[in-house]
Amino acid sequence: MMRALRVLIGLLLLAGAGFGGFVYTSDMLAATQDSGGGRPERGPLQVRTEAAQTMRFAETVEAVGTARARESVMLHPPAAGRVTEVAIDPGARVSEGDVLLRLDDAEARARLTATEATLTQTRAAHDRLQALSRSGSVTEANLEAARADMMRAEAEHALAETALRDRTLTAPFAGVVGFTDVARGELVDTATEVTTLDDLSVIDVAFSVPERYLSRLARGQLVELTSAAWPDRRFIGEISAIDTRVDETTRAIAMRARVPNDDRALTAGMFLRAALVLDERQATAVPERALSVAGDDSYIHIAEAGTARRVSVTTGRMAAGMIEVSGPVQPGDAVIVTNLANVSDGADVEVLAAEQARLEAPSQ
C-alpha cells in the first residue's frame, strides 16, 4: 500500500514539472516575438542582366570551293630565239604592256631596216608614175604595177615590225608574275613556259550547291567566304554566274562567286568555305543562356523596376551566343541571365552592376 502511494506521488511531481516547463517556454517565445527578435525577412534576389539587341540573322547554305584568279595565263615566248634579258621578279605586280623577256633582235631589226628602204623606194616610184599619168605619159598598167609594188612593200614592212615586236614578251594584262626557270643566254621557242601571270585584284570562287536550292539562287546574291589562312576574316562576294545544267551524278549545280581582293589576301588555288546567303533579316535577340524552357513554352525574365517579369517568346536562329526571339521583347530590355533557377514571375530582384557581378561570381 505504501509502495503504491509513493509511485502515485512521483507521477504527480513529474506532471507538475512538465506543465511548468511548457508554461515557461511559451512565455519566453512570446517575449521574444514581442521584442522583435523573429527570423529576418529575405532580401531581393541578386541577378545580372544583359540588354536585348537587334541583330542580323541569315539563312545560309554552306559549300566548299576553290579560288581562281580573274585572269590567269601561262606565258610563252612569241617567237624562238636566244634570251638577252629576263625582267621577271616573282610575286611582283606588273602592268599591262610591261616587258618580261627579251630575245636577240639583231636580225629582226636588220630586216625591218631593209623593208623600210624598199617601202620608201616603191612609194617614190608610185608617186612619180602617178604624177606622169595625169599628163598621159604613163599607161594605166604601169601605174597599177607600181601601186602593187608599193602595197607589197608595205605588207613586208608590217611583217618586219611584227617580227621585231615578237622578240619581246610583255604582260597581256595587269597582274602578279610567278616563278621562272628561264635564264639569259638560253634558247627558247614558242613552247617554252616562261612564267605565270595572275590577275588577283578579284578572285573567282568555284563551288556547287544541291539542286534543291536552285529556285532560290540568283546572280548578285551575297556569299560569305572564310579561309583557314585568315581565320579571323570574312570575305564578302556575290554570285557572278550559275551553270545551265545540274550534274547528273551529284545532283548539284555549279556556280561562281566574285570576291574583291584589293589587299591580295586571297590567291589562286586556295580552299575556301562558302556560305551562300538565301535570306537575311534584322531581329530582336537575347543571350542564349537567358532562355528557359518548360514543356512547349520558351520564356525569359526581364528585370523592370526591381521586379522580374516572365515573358514567353518564340525562338529562331542562333548566332554568336545570341538567339532570335519574337514576342513582347524590345531592344534594350534588361534580360536576366543569372540565378535563373531561383527567379520567378513577380519576384523582387536586385540587378548587380557589371563589376559587382564579376566580384561576387563563384570561382570556377
Side-chain angles (χ1 to χ4, degrees):
M1 184 68 180
M2 292 298 294
R3 183 177 180 181
L5 181 61
R6 285 196 297 270
V7 171
L8 179 60
I9 293 172
L11 291 174
L12 290 173
L13 290 173
L14 288 174
F19 178 76
F22 171 76
V23 172
Y24 175 79
T25 302
S26 299
D27 291 343
M28 289 297 293
L29 288 174
T32 302
Q33 291 175 353
D34 291 343
S35 64
R39 183 177 180 181
E41 295 183 359
R42 179 177 298 178
L45 185 67
Q46 293 183 331
V47 296
R48 184 180 178 186
T49 64
E50 291 186 19
Q53 56 186 275
T54 300
M55 284 185 60
R56 169 183 171 270
F57 289 92
E59 180 185 358
T60 62
V61 56
E62 296 187 351
V64 294
T66 301
R68 299 177 177 177
R70 180 169 63 175
E71 291 185 282
S72 181
V73 66
M74 172 62 75
L75 296 175
H76 300 264
R82 188 176 299 278
V83 177
T84 59
E85 180 185 354
V86 179
I88 297 172
D89 181 12
R93 301 181 189 180
V94 296
S95 300
E96 181 178 349
D98 283 356
V99 174
L100 303 177
L101 186 79
R102 294 186 190 275
L103 302 177
D104 180 14
D105 60 1
E107 183 178 346
R109 288 185 180 279
R111 186 178 297 111
L112 179 62
T113 300
T115 59
E116 286 176 345
T118 301
L119 179 59
T120 300
Q121 183 179 12
T122 56
R123 280 177 175 171
H126 173 267
D127 292 345
R128 184 172 59 256
L129 291 177
Q130 190 175 41
L132 292 173
S133 67
R134 296 189 185 97
S135 61
S137 303
V138 177
T139 64
E140 187 65 26
N142 289 337
L143 182 59
E144 287 297 327
R147 183 178 293 111
D149 289 342
M150 182 183 67
M151 293 177 65
R152 190 162 39 248
E154 288 175 343
E156 290 176 352
H157 182 263
L159 288 173
E161 286 182 325
T162 299
L164 181 59
R165 283 196 301 270
D166 285 348
R167 309 309 290 176
T168 302
L169 174 63
T170 60
F173 52 82
V176 179
V177 291
F179 291 106
T180 183
D181 293 325
V182 175
R184 285 190 306 166
E186 184 176 347
L187 285 173
V188 297
D189 56 29
T190 56
T192 303
E193 295 182 348
V194 177
T195 189
T196 56
L197 178 64
D198 296 308
D199 178 3
L200 300 175
S201 60
V202 174
I203 289 292
D204 287 331
V205 182
F207 62 97
S208 299
V209 298
E211 64 176 354
R212 65 178 177 273
Y213 295 109
L214 181 58
S215 63
R216 305 179 67 183
L217 302 176
R219 294 182 64 177
Q221 206 161 348
L222 195 66
V223 180
E224 297 180 354
L225 299 118
T226 56
S227 167
W230 305 97
D232 298 328
R233 288 189 60 177
R234 299 173 72 85
F235 301 90
I236 306 299
E238 61 181 33
I239 295 177
S240 58
I242 301 175
D243 201 357
T244 57
R245 297 182 179 182
V246 172
D247 188 290
E248 295 182 1
T249 302
T250 63
R251 297 301 177 187
I253 187 163
M255 61 188 60
R256 300 286 186 272
R258 184 152 290 180
V259 186
N261 190 39
D262 295 336
D263 61 354
R264 306 302 192 272
L266 302 177
T267 191
M270 291 182 71
F271 176 85
L272 298 172
R273 294 189 178 276
L276 182 61
V277 181
L278 301 178
D279 178 53
E280 61 178 338
R281 58 185 176 274
Q282 297 289 327
T284 302
V286 300
E288 288 182 48
R289 64 182 185 277
L291 188 68
S292 299
V293 179
D296 295 332
D297 184 28
S298 297
Y299 61 91
I300 60 174
H301 285 94
I302 296 175
E304 292 181 342
T307 302
R309 177 169 63 90
R310 174 169 167 163
V311 176
S312 294
V313 295
T314 301
T315 59
R317 296 187 171 275
M318 295 182 291
M322 304 291 285
I323 185 167
E324 176 188 3
V325 295
S326 58
V329 184
Q330 299 297 324
D333 283 348
V335 180
I336 297 175
V337 296
T338 61
N339 227 341
L340 297 179
N342 299 315
V343 176
S344 60
D345 189 33
D348 293 335
V349 293
E350 177 187 356
V351 178
L352 297 177
E355 181 63 18
Q356 183 180 358
R358 184 185 68 81
L359 294 175
E360 296 187 5
S363 59
Q364 300 296 325

